Amino acid sequence: MVATTTTATSTFYGNVHIIGNLQTSASSTAAGQASFTYVPVLAHSFGAWVTGATGANAHDSTIYINPATAASDTNLLGAAVGGAVKFLIDAEGDVFANSLTLAGSQTVSTSSISTLIVENNSFLGDAANSDWTHIKGSAWVESNKSSGASSTALTITQTGTGNILRLASDYSTANPFFLVTAAGNVGVGTSSPYAPLAVVGQAVAAYFTATTSVASTFPYASTTGLTVSSLASTTNLLISKIGTSTQAFAVGSGLISNLDMLGGDLYIGGDAEVDGVLYVQGQLISSGSSEFTGAITFTRVPTLPHTFTSWAIGTANSNVSDATVYINPATADADTNLFGLAVGGSVKTMIDAEGDIFANSLTLSGGQTVSTSTISTLIVENNSFLGDAASNDWTHIRGSAWVESNKSSGASTTALTITQTGTGDFFRIASDYNDSVPYFVVKNSGNVGIGTTSPYTKLSVDGKGVFNQDVRADYFTATSTTQASTFPLFTGTTATITNATTTTLFSTTASSTNLFTSNFTLC
């Protein structure tokens, strides 16, 4: 059937069966069913779909709509019910519909869908190494699976070297809020997490639990406190700063009142203030200022004894680093203080960088060995020794010396006892330590010399002796042949003069009346 007019409208009230092509350049209204049975023979052969793609072979379609031109957004195909539009395909190839139900897959370049429901499994993208999916708006993953390989609500896999997950303000930002790398490291506030969890910024949690013996590092613990309790090990606990609520880490005041029985070493890099009791079994090493308002007890047992033979500053084999309390700044200027004790800010005891000790009194229950000591007032209870090597040590007393004794019994009742087990002198009185001629000397033999260094008798006097009281001896020997010996009065005891002459016997001022007694015998 061929219509010969180009202006009239053809109306078909029954069914129209078209075996060949139906070509119309005007509007045709069919009240019955239109059925097209043309069998297409040319398959589309394009590699990827785009509008106007070569190899589409659209002209071989069972239904082929192909006006010569069409303005933008005009419609090529439409479906309506009672005039209410239900489906449209416009001149750009845009499809407008209600819902889309697919039994197979859907591949789109760009798709705008009001509501998309895909039954069964679906894929977005078909090239895992290059495709991407951009979701504008919220995304909700809802799952009701409880078994199977894909029971997890959301699984993200990465077979390349890129990151697994990024949360950021922009797709291309270099500093994401949250990142999971291909290695599995999670970063919060960092683009390069170097550990399974790396946080740049503040982290807040009810508590932290370490499950291995690997060191836990807290460079900055803020004001919320850090609690180590129960059987936790603090061997590798590194704290850069401990202090009040305005400092890095507070101990006490409801935060941490006690650091109880630390089994290892406690390192404090900054300032520390402890309001409770701090028990440290290992070493407490601090590079800042630590303030303790409670008691501090160190119970670490040192294991290395000092092995030096004599003490000197900087001596080897001191093993000072093994001390229960070890103070060791890298450097210290002269007269700066390593250790100080004060009450209310009033200094009581100090030890400076040279090892000098400044204190009040010193009470010792054992011995004291010092190389050089300057003490304002020294009181030693019980017995004491000055020097520990009788063969070479010496004691120099500058100023007056007073030996005060109140003992009346025992081996050491004498106020001052001097013993000499060597060959040197017992006692010397001289103008100088090295004076070759002392005023008074007591030799190792017991001989006493006055004005002489070599007394050869119990008492040897080099010079004149004047006595205003009784002087008694077994006998007297004058060694000078030029100096006269004067005896103003002999009493009671007979004097014997051997080989004497009257020249040497009598002085020019002497008289026989008071020179001799009735017992005098001239031999």
Side-chain angles (χ1 to χ4, degrees), residues 55-67:
N57 288 323
H59 65 282
D60 190 50
S61 301
T62 300
I63 296 178
Y64 181 42
I65 301 174
N66 182 29

Side-chain angles (χ1 to χ4, degrees), residues 481-502:
T481 60
T482 60
Q483 297 294 324
S485 298
T486 303
F487 297 88
L489 180 64
F490 284 101
T491 61
T493 304
T494 300
T496 300
I497 301 174
T498 304
N499 298 327
T501 66
T502 57

Side-chain angles (χ1 to χ4, degrees), residues 95-114:
V95 178
F96 299 88
N98 187 10
S99 62
L100 177 65
T101 301
L102 302 175
S105 61
Q106 181 188 21
T107 302
V108 296
S109 174
T110 301
S111 178
S112 297
I113 302 172
S114 177

Side-chain angles (χ1 to χ4, degrees), residues 301-312:
V301 178
T303 58
L304 301 176
H306 57 75
T307 57
F308 51 79
T309 55
S310 62
W311 166 251

Side-chain angles (χ1 to χ4, degrees), residues 9 28 36 52 70 96 135 163 175 191 201 234 250 280 368 405 421 436 438 460 470 512:
T9 301
S28 298
F36 301 91
F96 299 88
I135 300 175
N163 298 318
N175 296 310
S191 60
T234 58
V280 181
Q368 180 188 21
S405 176
T421 58
S436 59
S460 295
D470 188 14
S512 59

